[in-house]
Amino acid sequence: MASVNLEGITKRYEDVTAVDDMTLDIEDGEFVTFVGPSGCGKSTTMETIAGLTLPTEGTIEIGGRDVTNLPPKDRGISMVFQNIALFPHMDVYDNISFGLRLRKYDQEEVDRRVEEAADIVQLEGMMDRMPKEMSGGQRQRVAIARAIVRNPGAFLMDEPLANLDAELRVHMRTQLQRLHRELDTTIIYVTHDQAQAMTMSDRIAVINSGVLQQVAPPLECYNEPKNLFVAGFIGSPAMNFIAGEVVDDGFVSTYANVDFDPATQGVTAGQEITVGIRPEDIYLAENAEKAASPTKAFDAVVDVIEPVGKEVNAYLLFDRDVEASAEGRGEGQLLINLAPDTEIDEGDDIQIVMDRENIHLFDQSSGEAITHSLE
Ligand code: ADP
């Protein structure tokens, strides 16, 4: 087990800054996930921790030891990657034990560690199988067992579930959580999939364009996103945004106004702000009592209804003149979640309310959150 500390890590490739001045302290035994869109610098950060690439600036400590310039093998870490590189001509036992045998561990110790690791990832009885006789999930478990036997201070996992089908991915997610609990070891995990990040991690580190945006427990990122980027990235379906301006008695925009006293929210008249509201915090006006503190009602038109089983996603337009954007939710479009038995049809005129307790305000120029509740 080991803590991992990044201090001012920057990685530049000619004209690209892949990682920009990243400082992050990961505690011993913590499960931290780097999450962000493709190309945001997650893998590069991981590669600097692993020692596969050297940072342009900054230092990395693992277990309190400066490893910035050490080769991967001397860092006390194990890695599991998206592409599972098992030796095709070796059976499971040989694949798992390869690193130990290379390091000349005695046979008894090798057997003990392989057995223990195979037990953790539930591969008992499969020691003689060849990789080609196994499913994708089983092969990925062999790769994880191979990482476990080295008894590392920290596991580095880069999209290890990306090549698995959806059902297996959910299953492996649970397995990884169990693994973390049993080994009580530090895990640093990379994914672009915010659902994986939300479900497994003690903390998530949200990255955009090489810059760390927020490092916090998943629900804190969800309930109190630090800025517009985190608000829009964490949560599926994503938060709704309405851009407008502060006036003397609250917020005005083309389609919706919300009353509040600017002074109590720390904003001033004339300031350009964005209201953020999650789909589950908007209600039909007839159910306004379900909101802890409903706003006044807004008119809307139902554009598209999307039943997803336990709920219905309803895409709304603030009025009939709004042009539905083909790329995500544009200006004047909203998404709300409704109970599956709600009687509602495409084209209906409806009224909605928002829950003031869950209205987020963001400053448009900085993108920073101002408040997460108007009450
Ligand atoms: P992610 O893992 O979040 O998808 P990466 O860390 O792979 O992102 O990449 C971050 C940025 O750095 C991207 O713009 C990518 O094109 C660039 N990059 C990564 N590796 C190299 C490299 N070896 N040479 C040049 N640019 C690179």
Side-chain angles (χ1 to χ4, degrees):
M1 282 201 291
S3 57
V4 177
N5 306 85
L6 309 186
E7 178 66 43
I9 292 296
T10 293
K11 178 68 185 182
R12 277 187 284 273
Y13 293 106
E14 293 178 8
D15 52 349
V16 179
T17 303
V19 182
D20 194 356
D21 195 18
M22 199 174 290
T23 293
L24 174 63
D25 293 321
I26 296 168
E27 283 175 34
D28 196 0
E30 211 181 0
F31 193 143
V32 170
T33 300
F34 293 156
V35 65
S38 181
C40 74
K42 306 178 293 290
S43 295
T44 306
T45 307
M46 190 71 125
E47 284 162 16
T48 63
I49 300 172
L52 300 174
T53 185
L54 292 181
T56 317
E57 286 165 34
T59 54
I60 296 161
E61 288 184 2
I62 297 178
R65 190 168 61 112
D66 186 341
V67 299
T68 314
N69 295 304
L70 292 185
K73 68 177 176 45
D74 297 334
R75 294 188 177 210
I77 43 123
S78 277
M79 296 176 257
V80 182
F81 292 112
Q82 175 176 348
N83 295 313
I84 315 157
L86 298 184
F87 299 109
H89 57 284
M90 289 186 196
D91 65 12
V92 169
Y93 177 92
D94 285 344
N95 263 290
I96 296 177
S97 61
F98 182 76
L100 298 180
R101 288 183 287 124
L102 207 63
R103 285 181 184 74
K104 307 246 182 300
Y105 280 68
D106 73 51
Q107 189 60 44
E108 235 171 75
E109 177 70 4
V110 173
D111 284 345
R112 192 187 63 74
R113 288 200 191 193
V114 171
E115 197 176 312
E116 202 177 276
D119 182 45
I120 289 170
V121 298
Q122 294 166 12
L123 279 173
E124 311 96 322
M126 293 197 195
M127 289 299 123
D128 302 333
R129 292 261 191 109
M130 300 303 278
K132 66 172 190 302
E133 299 165 343
M134 310 185 87
S135 68
Q138 288 167 336
R139 284 202 293 267
Q140 190 56 287
R141 291 194 330 247
V142 176
I144 293 170
R146 186 171 60 184
I148 294 173
V149 288
R150 299 195 40 209
N151 212 359
F155 282 101
L156 309 184
M157 301 190 176
D158 192 343
E159 300 268 13
L161 311 185
N163 289 339
L164 306 181
D165 65 42
E167 194 184 339
L168 198 53
R169 196 153 52 227
V170 171
H171 174 71
M172 286 299 291
R173 222 158 67 181
T174 323
Q175 292 235 354
L176 284 177
Q177 281 172 278
R178 212 172 278 136
L179 175 79
H180 180 236
R181 197 177 59 212
E182 285 181 23
L183 296 179
D184 200 21
T185 192
T186 313
I187 297 183
I188 308 179
Y189 192 94
V190 163
T191 181
H192 66 280
D193 174 0
Q194 56 94 28
Q196 275 184 51
M198 290 292 284
T199 45
M200 295 193 297
S201 330
D202 294 322
R203 285 191 300 162
I204 55 182
V206 185
I207 306 175
N208 187 33
S209 301
V211 178
L212 208 46
Q213 305 287 316
Q214 182 165 10
V215 188
L219 283 181
E220 190 176 324
C221 290
Y222 187 83
N223 292 322
E224 296 173 28
K226 254 186 84 180
N227 58 34
L228 278 167
F229 178 81
V230 178
F233 190 78
I234 298 296
S236 177
M239 189 183 276
N240 296 288
F241 295 116
I242 308 166
E245 190 183 331
V246 179
V247 289
D248 287 340
D249 57 357
F251 167 83
V252 294
S253 69
T254 314
Y255 303 108
N257 302 341
V258 182
D259 300 335
F260 56 83
D261 174 7
T264 61
Q265 304 301 336
V267 292
T268 50
Q271 187 174 348
E272 293 191 329
I273 63 169
T274 292
V275 159
I277 183 94
R278 292 207 182 271
E280 67 268 29
D281 296 321
I282 303 177
Y283 300 85
L284 294 181
E286 66 213 51
N287 299 328
E289 77 284 353
K290 290 188 182 165
S293 172
T295 57
K296 65 178 173 41
F298 304 100
D299 291 327
V301 182
V302 180
D303 182 22
V304 174
I305 300 271
E306 198 180 68
V308 286
K310 67 178 174 20
E311 62 195 11
V312 169
N313 290 331
Y315 290 82
L316 310 181
L317 306 174
F318 268 119
D319 67 43
R320 292 186 184 278
D321 294 334
V322 172
E323 290 231 7
S325 154
E327 299 153 21
R329 260 168 272 159
E331 166 98 357
Q333 288 182 273
L334 278 184
L335 171 59
I336 68 175
N337 297 140
L338 298 170
D341 57 355
T342 309
E343 291 194 3
I344 189 169
D345 282 316
E346 292 175 1
D348 282 356
D349 287 297
I350 58 167
Q351 287 209 308
I352 52 168
V353 298
M354 303 179 197
D355 188 349
R356 294 170 61 89
E357 276 206 352
N358 294 311
I359 287 181
H360 307 253
L361 300 184
F362 301 91
D363 180 72
Q364 266 176 38
S365 58
S366 67
E368 296 294 313
I370 300 163
T371 181
H372 302 290
S373 171
L374 288 180
E375 295 304 302

